[in-house]
Structures are given as C-alpha cells and as structure tokens.
Amino acid sequence: MTTTDTEDSGAHPRFAEALDALGLGELRAEIRRFPDATRTAAEAAAAIGCELSEICKSLIFAADGVPVLVLMDGASRVDLELVQQALGAGKVTRAKAEVVRETTGYAIGGVPPFGHRTRTRVLADRSLLDHDVVWAAAGNPHAVFPMEPKDLVAHAGATLVDVRERTQ
C-alpha cells in the first residue's frame, strides 16, 4: 500500500493499516469521503443519507481513570450508570479530548471502532445489531465506512451490553 492509496481512500493511514492487518483491505474501496465534516452522528447520517441510528459512534470514557471505548448507535445516548455496572467500575466519566487522542490516535469526531493506538476495553450496545449495516468513522471527521454490525463488534473485540440511555 502506498501513501497515495491511503489518501485516496479517505481513511486515516493508521486505520487503513488496521484494515489491512485485519484482512479487511477491500473495505478501503467502500470508504466514503465528504467535503464537509461528518464529525457528529447527525452530520454523518445526513451526508450518507441513512437513519441516525445506522451511525456507529465510537466514544471514549474513563472508568476509574482507565479509558474504555463504547460503541453506540447514533440516535442514542450512553447511560454512564449502565457502563459503570457493566464494567464494575466505581466512576465513569467522559474522557477529555487529549485522552481520546492519546488512547486512540484519532481526534474526537473521527474515532473508528478499531485500529487504535492502544488496546482498550470495548463495549458495544446491542442496539447496533438492529441494522443490516452501520456506518462508522474511518479515522478522520470526513470519512466513514459501512460494515455489518456483528462484524464490526467482532473486529473491535467488543462485549455486547445494554448501555443505552432509556427515554422516559
């Protein structure tokens, strides 16, 4: 793979390398790059033309100070108490931007579900499995890729949990 190949795909170089390492190099051809940022789930859904819930958000939290990745559908919010229970943690908070970049190697708004700088514990909300395909960030805020949710969960090494905030 050359640098030009990576740039043409729209993927962050680290993410393109992760795809190759996982035997998913063919996914680079499916990455969609947009001129406007797809930093939020709503921006991504509008650009792709899909439902908000078909976006897979990759969110970093700190559980007792240790980074953890939570994969959540774009229409839902994470319930921190449920994450706390799932992890058996004392305290769960949203990670600061510098912790997200240090842990994953990517900036907020472009964090993919796998291919991170460091290995972290990963939780995936079951709501992702409600779809045939979900779209996730490809390492930068302008690129996304499609994947079957069960495959995404498997490649991320995630544990399936119910951590979605319930609306009342």
Side-chain angles (χ1 to χ4, degrees):
M1 178 186 75
T2 66
T3 304
T4 305
D5 293 338
T6 302
E7 289 169 359
D8 288 347
S9 76
H12 185 285
R14 179 180 297 107
F15 184 67
E17 289 171 14
L19 289 176
D20 289 340
L22 290 167
L24 300 171
E26 74 280 354
L27 259 182
R28 279 192 277 138
E30 296 186 50
I31 292 171
R32 293 183 54 193
R33 185 169 175 77
F34 299 98
D36 295 322
T38 53
R39 191 176 309 274
T40 68
E43 290 171 345
I48 296 162
C50 70
E51 295 295 321
L52 188 56
S53 62
E54 292 174 287
I55 301 298
C56 175
K57 298 186 289 192
S58 298
L59 306 167
I60 300 290
F61 294 90
D64 296 331
V66 177
V68 61
L69 173 65
V70 177
L71 304 176
M72 176 60 69
D73 79 81
S76 301
R77 293 175 51 95
V78 174
D79 184 319
L80 294 182
E81 285 186 29
L82 293 176
V83 172
Q84 184 180 348
Q85 291 169 16
L87 295 172
K91 182 179 181 183
V92 175
T93 58
R94 219 177 242 289
K96 294 186 181 337
E98 60 270 12
V99 172
V100 172
R101 187 179 285 278
E102 180 182 300
T103 302
T104 68
Y106 307 98
I108 291 173
V111 177
F114 48 82
H116 297 177
R117 177 181 288 153
T118 61
R119 194 156 191 73
T120 57
R121 186 151 178 206
V122 184
L123 302 178
D125 190 78
R126 287 183 207 286
S127 62
L128 291 169
L129 300 179
D130 293 344
H131 304 284
D132 293 332
V133 172
V134 293
W135 293 83
N140 72 62
H142 293 273
V144 295
F145 71 97
M147 184 173 263
E148 289 183 26
K150 62 180 176 43
D151 293 339
L152 186 141
V153 168
H155 288 299
T159 301
L160 279 174
V161 292
D162 293 307
V163 293
R164 181 174 47 177
E165 193 175 84
R166 302 288 175 213
T167 54
Q168 298 172 351

